[in-house]
Amino acid sequence: QVQLVESGGGLVQAGGSLRLSCAASGRTFSSYAMAWFRQAPGKDREFVTFITRSGGNTYYVNSVKGRFTISRDNAKNMGWLQMASLKPEDTAVYYCAAPAGPGIPAIAGGYDYWGQGTQVTVSS
């Protein structure tokens, strides 16, 4: 299995940028696809983006497309979420996650490994 730890959250003004990091340990990181989810107060955990095990393919939900970029470096056991042009509605706790199997689900229930989350707050 793999352990995930996020960092890099914080408070930023609307229009600003943040880069979140996800450090992996345990089993070989390249064995897992990786996704980012977010959860705002009172809302369900929302799928944001994923990247395949090799990093060759990515997918974004429409609300972040063109503003967020997911990346990974398997040699460093690291993943990142670069967020730009941030909006107040991006405010949430952000989680990196990995599925145990070969698929890349778009729902939280499909993921087996989670970090503890990092808070992102965007002020207007």
Side-chain angles (χ1 to χ4, degrees), residues 40-64:
K43 294 189 176 181
D44 292 337
R45 195 165 293 190
E46 174 193 22
F47 172 83
V48 176
T49 177
F50 77 68
I51 188 167
T52 53
R53 286 175 286 182
S54 67
N57 288 288
T58 59
Y59 174 84
Y60 302 88
V61 294
N62 286 339
S63 60
V64 308

Side-chain angles (χ1 to χ4, degrees), residues 26-113:
R27 192 179 169 191
T28 305
F29 184 48
S30 59
S31 299
Y32 301 92
M34 186 185 77
W36 288 90
F37 285 75
R38 65 186 179 186
Q39 188 166 20
K43 294 189 176 181
D44 292 337
R45 195 165 293 190
E46 174 193 22
F47 172 83
V48 176
T49 177
F50 77 68
I51 188 167
T52 53
R53 286 175 286 182
S54 67
N57 288 288
T58 59
Y59 174 84
Y60 302 88
V61 294
N62 286 339
S63 60
V64 308
K65 200 173 293 183
R67 300 189 298 123
F68 289 13
T69 303
I70 189 172
S71 61
R72 67 189 296 163
D73 185 333
N74 289 336
K76 296 181 179 178
N77 290 335
M78 290 292 299
W80 297 275
L81 181 64
Q82 179 70 48
M83 305 185 293
S85 303
L86 283 162
K87 305 174 182 180
E89 51 264 42
D90 294 318
T91 294
V93 177
Y94 282 72
Y95 300 87
C96 64
I104 308 178
I107 58 172
Y111 288 77
D112 302 275
Y113 307 112

